[in-house]
Amino acid sequence: MEPIKKNELKQLLGPKKGWCVSLYMPVERAGRKRRQNPIRLKNLLREAQRQLEQAGIPADRAERLLAPGRDLLDDKDFWRAPKDGLAVFLAQGRIQVYRSLERFDELVVIARRFHLKPLLPVLSGGGHYFVLVLSQKRVRFLRGTRGTLSEIELPGLPKSKGEALRYDEPRKQLQFHTGTPRGRAQRDAVFHGQGAGADAKKTDLLRFFRRIDRELHKVLAGEDAPLVLASVDYYRPLFEEASGYPHLARSVISGNPDELDEDGLRRKAWKIAGPLLARRRAEAIASYKAHKARGRASTALSEVVPAAHHGRVATLFVAVGVQRWGLYDPKTDRVSVAVKADASNLDLLDLAAAETYLTGGTVYALPRKAMPVDAPIAAVFRY
């Protein structure tokens, strides 16, 4: 799945004039089971129609709202290259579709904003890493999760060593001394270029890597996600010398990275990044418990939701597959929890997670049994 950038997430979270429909489903990728995919989406759209009409939306308006989703049912090209999960967002004649290598449970949510919590394992800062594919002939920068890996376009990133050095050519440092050859009274200047052989190659590589690092800084400033190199082994200490990024993984995806396809690159990257992220998650859970003892953490929706809205949440743990319905009024910071779900309510867990993500906090979307406490939400406050 192409990672959702913060500006895209803001658009999804922004105020809408009408109703928003969020659909999630797992996708079958092989054999006869692939035929179930459009049938499954058709059933979700039917359930969305039922919920819209139950909310008082006339049948013809509900039909128009869902029409872009129904157009996908017979689109053979759309279903030709499926991934493991599909998310479809519909609102007043518009549709946004995201495919993911993460499987989603079937879910239909009708509300005044889109429901994004199932995407959080893909979006959350607690679960992503970066990959720098580094060879002399090709440079790429990617962002990944356990199930996704997508390239990030950086216009200033050099595509190769030759391109980097061509536009970053320093003046040659020259020494000269004078000598008087036999038979000549006038002295000639003799120039010697510095840095031959291995030293020159190292100097060129460091210049190449520093040029790359300047561009990566535009994305990595303020990040703490692991950065994995896909390169020959001896590039790693040189890149560390050239780069100021403190979270460079010690292990390298060794060999010629140009020989790896996207899925092979993702699998190898996750073998390195996965344990690093798991360790960081364990440290975050320990930090939550320490902050809880000092009164700087909470599991109460009445505290966590307003704090997330105002940017006070540094770290949020939220249970995947669990909803807590209700309303939040940002003018009064009042949170009201509903007894049951209906189209007038929001999933307050979803709201807190999205607001935390947008205000620069770290979100860990975890299975309920992996939560640091027996609650569907837990927050560590910045202040």
Side-chain angles (χ1 to χ4, degrees), residues 230-252:
S231 70
V232 293
D233 288 339
Y234 71 86
Y235 276 8
R236 199 258 173 216
L238 288 176
F239 186 81
E240 183 177 31
E241 182 178 341
S243 172
Y245 191 63
H247 306 290
L248 181 65
R250 291 191 174 277
S251 299
V252 175

Side-chain angles (χ1 to χ4, degrees), residues 283-297 372 380:
E283 291 170 352
I285 290 173
S287 175
Y288 166 80
K289 292 176 180 178
H291 280 84
K292 180 70 172 175
R294 296 196 295 267
R296 289 185 56 188
V380 174

Side-chain angles (χ1 to χ4, degrees), residues 135-379:
S135 68
Q136 294 194 29
K137 296 182 179 179
R138 192 181 185 196
V139 178
R140 291 190 297 150
F141 183 55
L142 306 98
R143 183 186 188 276
T145 65
R146 180 169 63 87
T148 69
L149 187 64
S150 299
E151 189 161 357
I152 298 174
E153 294 293 337
L154 291 177
L157 188 70
K159 300 296 187 291
S160 67
K161 179 183 173 186
E163 177 186 319
L165 299 188
R166 184 166 64 249
Y167 294 106
D168 192 28
E169 189 72 32
R171 294 182 178 180
K172 291 182 179 179
Q173 297 181 15
L174 299 172
Q175 291 179 331
F176 85 91
H177 66 264
T178 58
T180 307
R182 290 181 182 179
R184 296 182 62 181
Q186 186 177 359
R187 297 194 300 178
D188 294 329
V190 181
F191 293 82
H192 300 279
Q194 286 184 338
D199 287 343
K201 290 180 180 178
K202 178 181 177 180
T203 299
D204 283 349
L205 283 173
L206 285 172
R207 285 169 47 211
F208 177 34
F209 295 161
R210 286 184 183 119
R211 172 73 187 278
I212 291 170
D213 184 63
R214 286 199 298 271
E215 295 303 317
L216 295 189
H217 183 75
K218 298 173 182 177
V219 175
L220 295 179
E223 275 280 357
D224 61 359
L227 173 62
V228 179
L229 285 188
S231 70
V232 293
D233 288 339
Y234 71 86
Y235 276 8
R236 199 258 173 216
L238 288 176
F239 186 81
E240 183 177 31
E241 182 178 341
S243 172
Y245 191 63
H247 306 290
L248 181 65
R250 291 191 174 277
S251 299
V252 175
I253 301 173
S254 299
N256 183 357
D258 298 336
E259 296 177 355
L260 288 172
D261 62 20
E262 207 79 351
D263 198 48
L265 182 63
R266 179 187 59 80
R267 288 198 304 270
K268 287 178 178 292
W270 182 249
K271 285 183 180 179
I272 296 171
L276 297 176
L277 292 170
R279 189 183 312 144
R280 182 172 298 168
R281 184 167 61 247
E283 291 170 352
I285 290 173
S287 175
Y288 166 80
K289 292 176 180 178
H291 280 84
K292 180 70 172 175
R294 296 196 295 267
R296 289 185 56 188
S298 177
T299 59
L301 283 169
S302 59
E303 293 181 282
V304 174
V305 173
H309 177 73
H310 294 295
R312 288 183 52 226
V313 176
T315 306
L316 186 77
F317 300 90
V318 64
V320 176
V322 180
Q323 289 82 39
R324 290 293 183 270
W325 302 98
L327 294 172
Y328 167 61
D329 184 350
K331 295 180 180 178
T332 63
D333 276 339
R334 183 172 181 271
V335 176
S336 56
V337 179
V339 176
K340 61 179 182 178
D342 63 49
S344 64
N345 295 319
L346 302 173
D347 177 9
L348 296 170
L349 306 182
D350 181 68
L351 178 63
E355 294 281 11
T356 299
Y357 178 80
L358 287 175
T359 54
T362 299
V363 179
Y364 291 93
L366 305 174
R368 180 68 185 262
K369 62 182 180 181
M371 290 287 289
V373 66
D374 186 20
I377 197 167

